[in-house]
Amino acid sequence: VLAKAGDIVGDNINREVTTVLEPASISSVRAVLAPQPRRRVPVVDAASRLVGIISRWAFVRELAHRWQLSPL
């Protein structure tokens, strides 16, 4: 982001943020990450407070871990 001297953060943010709820299923996170070139999705609680961020990499790592644990 290119900003001029005196600009504030609030003038340069995206307020239309896609989030997932903390108890969201893996499939719902996949539905948010897959169709867009997003790398991260904020995770919020029932009051819409940020509790964390799930990254595409963490998601893929978790799926790979589950795949290794599942019997063939």
Side-chain angles (χ1 to χ4, degrees):
V1 175
L2 297 175
K4 298 178 292 216
D7 281 355
I8 60 171
V9 173
D11 293 336
N12 295 287
I13 61 173
N14 179 3
R15 296 183 188 276
E16 296 178 21
V17 179
T18 300
T19 62
V20 294
L21 288 170
E22 191 172 16
S25 67
I26 292 295
S27 62
S28 65
V29 173
R30 181 180 62 232
V32 171
L33 285 172
Q36 302 287 330
R38 293 184 179 99
R39 294 184 183 184
R40 294 168 197 85
V41 177
V43 179
V44 297
D45 64 13
S48 295
R49 291 181 300 232
L50 181 66
V51 294
I53 297 175
I54 186 161
S55 68
R56 183 180 295 268
W57 172 243
F59 179 75
V60 169
R61 190 176 55 227
E62 176 61 22
L63 289 179
H65 177 72
R66 289 180 184 202
W67 179 74
Q68 287 178 344
L69 295 179
S70 65
L72 296 178

